[in-house]
Amino acid sequence: MKMIKTLTAVAVTTALLAGCETTQSARSETTDTRQVQQQFPNVTVDYETFILDNGLTVVVHEDRKAPIVAVNVWYAVGSKDEKPGKTGFAHLFEHLMFNGTENYDDEYFGPFERAGATEMNGTTNNDRTNYFENVPTPALDLALWMESDRMGHLLGAVTQDKLDEQRGVVQNEKRQGEAQPYGRVWGYLAEQTFPEGHPYSWSVIGSMDDLNNASLDDVHQWFKDYYGASNAVLVLAGDIDVATAKEKVAQYFGDIDPGKPLKKLEAWVAKREGTKRAVMQDDVPAARIYRIWNTAQLGTADHEYLSLLSDILANGKNSRLYERLVYDEQLASSVGGFQFGRDLAGQFFITADAKSGVELDEIEQIIDEELNRLLTEGPTAEELQRTKFSTTAQFVRQTEKVGGFGGKSDLLASGMVYHGDPGFYRQEMEWLKNASAADLTAAGQRWLSDGDFILHVEPQPDYQANEAIASRDSLPDVGDLPLLDLPELNTFTLSNGLEVYLAERSDTPTIEFNLTFDAGYAADANAKPGTASFAMSMLKEGTDNYGPMELAARLENLGTSLSTTASLDTSTVRMDTLTVNLPESLALMNEVLQRPTFPEDEIERKRSNWLENIRKEQARPQTQALRVLPKLMFGEQHAYSQPFTGSGTVESINALTRADLVDHVSTWMRPDNARLVIVGDTTEGEIKPLLEQQFANWNAPQSPKPAKQLERPQEQKQGRVFLIDKPGTPQSLIIAGQLAPSGTAANADTIDVMNTILGGSFTSRLNMNLREDKGWSYGARSLWLDNLGPGLLMALAPVQTDKTKESIEEIVKEFTQYEGSEPATEDELAKVKANKTAKLPGAYETKGALLGAVTETLNKGKTMRYLEAYAQRVQAIDLASVKDTAETVLRPDAMTWVIVGDLSQIEDKVRELNLGEVTILEDME
């Protein structure tokens, strides 16, 4: 989807060093992790830069590990270049750039989907607009043709009809954002924290009035002003060399006009004096405090120092504010902090959500105390070292990605656009590595000792829970696409019976683990909803040898990520570690697996925050609907009747005991009910002895292995409608669900293809209808939940309130025609088959992607050979089988509808549709 993305401090910092090749040895002879912690990897991204005669800057990075090329075009224009009264133009124009050109006047996603592009998108922030896609190497000409065509040959295709259509899409995007809890805050903060006329004093998406008033002449002028070649940077990263890049870029971009000369805006921090306060009431589940300072901009040492300071103060479990507000005094359910870096000015954010009955003033006082203590005493040596190392470990984990958010192409483009140097990350890395406690303290005193803006957001009183130029006659031929080439999967069994699957991949010095149990929310069927998720989350909240804060600090010191989670069908212990710290990281993984203590005081801390989170789920339209839908679809007693969030209910969480948690873990988390998948920088000879050493005492109990009852419930015979009232919301959320086959079904691939055509891709029937044709929704889709037990197929569409009835009619029409008079076409099938097979060679570029695919394949009882043969199976799907599958699976006359919206405006109209019995849900549990 086209979307707004404004990076947080963490995301910005990660992007600045993303995808860098480490020069540190992948193997270290020492196992002294305290010594290893002092070794910061030296990171480099080799690149070459050249400039065409028209001013287009091209940056090339060669990485041959996968047959894909990341194409990333950044234009140095964002919302800061707008004028008051004409806001939202940068983002609106980003949308128009996807709607066709003079030489390809059609939806831009279509050819890329056929070619197997991945991570294709466009984003706008305050400072720049970018367009990017990862394509198989043979599709590079296609990508360059498309990007150059919209850079140089767009305006003839930008019509009034297209402007009106995309204006509607953007306005629905704005409604969708503002319909979420706290969704109105960001625009308000922009107005209140920057002076009138400042380029950051309005939101990226703009105002409704300005969007309504945007004329065709306005948007044409925007293109002429900012979309010339000299205002753009093109980055090519991956399976390409400089000579090839020079030839192809000259061919496709050489004839494009340079555009107007533009002057770069000077930094304008607009540092404030004194304290300014405001209070906002909104439909929110908890009171929240925002505290913001205007601070140093991107490209300064102070920006990096403040990023580190925000982590120490408020970001993560080891931060001072989390420890005091959430953990010790239990006044807040969450805290957060980040340094928001932008080109002209930065901002330092602290946020905290108050627990029920807690006044924000009390939280604010503690924020004052901890901030003043940090600015007076400075960070400790341990805090500084831990934060610097964990940040560096994030950089290393990004070394695999050539494109997409935070990949190497983003790294190089951001350096060039913001700083005039693709390699600017080196300077930022030096600031990071050499930062001292005194540096952080001085930066904090400079920027955070005065000039804060404090916003209290409170629940509403009635709240309820130039050479050869490319031909423009036709799209370039993609040619023969590369075949999927997966690493060999080695299999071995530990002495305790645990099955281990290992795929070796040593492009970066990291190793990822998935220890998966056949459990998940479905294991709560005979227990209390939420038990599985709560129990998994408690594994890290105290062990024989570590308290929860000690464990979190140790993991951060090692640069290791360790998570313990549950999904519908499975529970997982997942770890991502640097190779150099593997032995101690495995020891910590074993610690949470075999030696959790479930302390009563930690259970109560978590219970309090858990209940706050359920309230937040009940306040968001989508999670609110997904909490009630499962019970409606599967029935009260089914294993899948739990809220799809996995969080349980207020009643069940209040009733949970320590004995429940211990019983869940001892019953389900056993080696004969588990599988360990490993992808990364190790061999069987290296990893097996370490696993034996750690898991030697982890054995299956004598009791039989548990089993879940996943029988298919009775089919619904007729339609039903359930309405949830959300007064004043600018959008209605529509969900239409029906039972579907299991993900283990023999025709699973055909079901997936059938659903993709209907609503599972950007160019699907549902999305093209409600978003692109009608402009009533920011995005509509259908999803097939391919569970191990009975599946669920559902349509999901957030739509503007006044088009609720009409949108439901269109959803019904699309389902009915698809399984009846207008089945899938040859063209639709060919497009989906091409997309699903062409993108495979680049789909497993990262260890995490491969780890997830192998884990899912094994969970469904399939083999690696099955995964490797996916393309052949998809290519063999014919039109008749898609039609038969649609007729068999889809039941448009017997769907269960859950609609969240302002019932004063939509209820009567929904009833007029006669979809089935209508019930208003007042008790959300």
Side-chain angles (χ1 to χ4, degrees), residues 4 6 78-80 82-95 124-126 167 170-178 183-184 186-188 190-191 199-214 222:
I4 293 179
T6 51
S79 63
K80 77 175 188 302
E82 300 161 354
K83 299 291 185 265
K86 293 185 180 293
T87 63
F89 276 38
H91 175 245
L92 176 61
F93 203 85
E94 174 223 313
H95 279 248
T124 307
N125 67 21
N126 298 103
R167 188 202 327 264
V170 170
Q171 289 177 328
N172 274 301
E173 180 180 355
K174 182 176 175 69
R175 291 186 187 100
Q176 185 169 318
E178 293 180 352
R184 296 190 296 118
W186 291 99
Y188 182 73
E191 295 172 1
Y200 294 161
S201 64
W202 53 83
S203 68
V204 174
I205 203 166
S207 76
M208 282 293 193
D209 286 343
D210 290 354
L211 289 169
N212 281 327
N213 293 332
W222 185 265

Side-chain angles (χ1 to χ4, degrees), residues 8-11 13 186 289-293 306-317 319-322 334-340 347-353 367 448:
T8 64
V10 173
T13 309
W186 291 99
I289 183 173
Y290 291 82
R291 192 168 181 182
I292 305 103
W293 293 258
L306 290 169
S307 293
L308 293 171
L309 201 67
S310 70
D311 288 348
I312 292 168
L313 178 64
N315 186 29
K317 198 169 185 175
S319 66
R320 295 188 180 191
L321 286 177
Y322 182 96
S334 64
V335 298
F338 57 92
Q339 165 70 5
F340 182 9
Q347 289 189 307
F348 189 98
F349 277 75
I350 299 174
T351 66
D353 286 4
I367 292 174
L448 308 180

Side-chain angles (χ1 to χ4, degrees), residues 580-600:
V580 70
N581 291 336
L582 175 60
E584 185 160 350
S585 296
L586 270 177
L588 293 178
M589 182 179 180
N590 184 50
E591 181 82 13
V592 303
L593 179 65
Q594 292 199 65
R595 287 184 281 276
T597 54
F598 300 102
E600 291 282 6

Side-chain angles (χ1 to χ4, degrees), residues 212 230 292-293 348 396 424 466 582 703 755 908:
N212 281 327
S230 63
I292 305 103
W293 293 258
F348 189 98
V396 175
F424 191 78
N466 214 0
L582 175 60
S703 58
N755 176 66
D908 291 344

Side-chain angles (χ1 to χ4, degrees), residues 881-894:
S881 63
V882 175
K883 184 177 185 297
D884 290 344
T885 301
E887 292 174 352
T888 303
V889 172
L890 300 183
R891 305 186 68 229
D893 294 331

Side-chain angles (χ1 to χ4, degrees), residues 587-774:
L588 293 178
M589 182 179 180
N590 184 50
E591 181 82 13
V592 303
L593 179 65
Q594 292 199 65
R595 287 184 281 276
T597 54
F598 300 102
E600 291 282 6
D601 56 342
E602 299 299 340
I603 291 172
E604 294 310 315
R605 283 191 183 93
K606 184 166 291 288
R607 190 196 314 273
S608 177
N609 289 337
W610 201 277
L611 294 171
E612 290 292 323
N613 186 59
I614 289 176
R615 293 180 65 237
K616 292 175 182 178
E617 290 176 0
Q618 292 169 335
R620 300 184 187 101
Q622 185 162 319
T623 50
Q624 188 177 23
L626 293 178
R627 288 183 59 81
V628 303
L629 183 66
K631 190 175 291 186
L632 301 175
M633 298 304 308
F634 296 104
E636 294 272 353
Q637 303 305 316
H638 196 275
Y640 285 172
S641 65
Q642 326 298 323
F644 276 159
T645 59
S647 56
T649 66
V650 170
E651 180 184 16
S652 66
I653 296 303
N654 272 324
L656 266 183
T657 67
R658 181 181 184 278
D660 294 328
L661 304 176
V662 172
D663 180 65
H664 177 87
V665 169
S666 62
T667 299
W668 296 96
M669 297 186 65
R670 40 193 286 170
D672 60 344
N673 194 43
R675 180 184 298 110
L676 177 61
V677 180
I678 307 170
V679 177
D681 184 30
T682 189
T683 65
E684 180 179 340
E686 293 170 335
I687 194 68
K688 187 174 181 179
L690 293 173
L691 294 174
E692 288 285 8
Q693 177 185 352
Q694 292 299 331
F695 300 140
N697 296 323
W698 182 39
N699 294 296
Q702 295 297 314
S703 58
K705 186 171 71 170
K708 295 175 291 191
Q709 300 300 316
L710 299 179
E711 69 283 352
R712 184 180 177 90
Q714 246 185 346
E715 297 280 357
Q716 186 68 31
K717 301 298 184 184
Q718 55 191 13
R720 302 176 294 170
V721 181
F722 296 89
L723 301 178
I724 299 174
D725 193 17
K726 196 168 181 63
T729 183
Q731 280 196 325
S732 298
L733 176 72
I734 302 169
I735 293 182
Q738 61 158 87
L739 294 177
S742 163
T744 62
N747 65 337
D749 297 320
T750 307
I751 298 171
D752 178 50
V753 168
M754 180 273 293
N755 176 66
T756 303
I757 295 170
L758 175 62
S761 71
F762 185 89
T763 58
S764 67
R765 294 186 178 191
L766 279 174
N767 195 57
M768 296 303 289
N769 183 335
L770 292 179
R771 173 182 163 127
E772 297 299 301
D773 295 342
K774 305 294 192 306

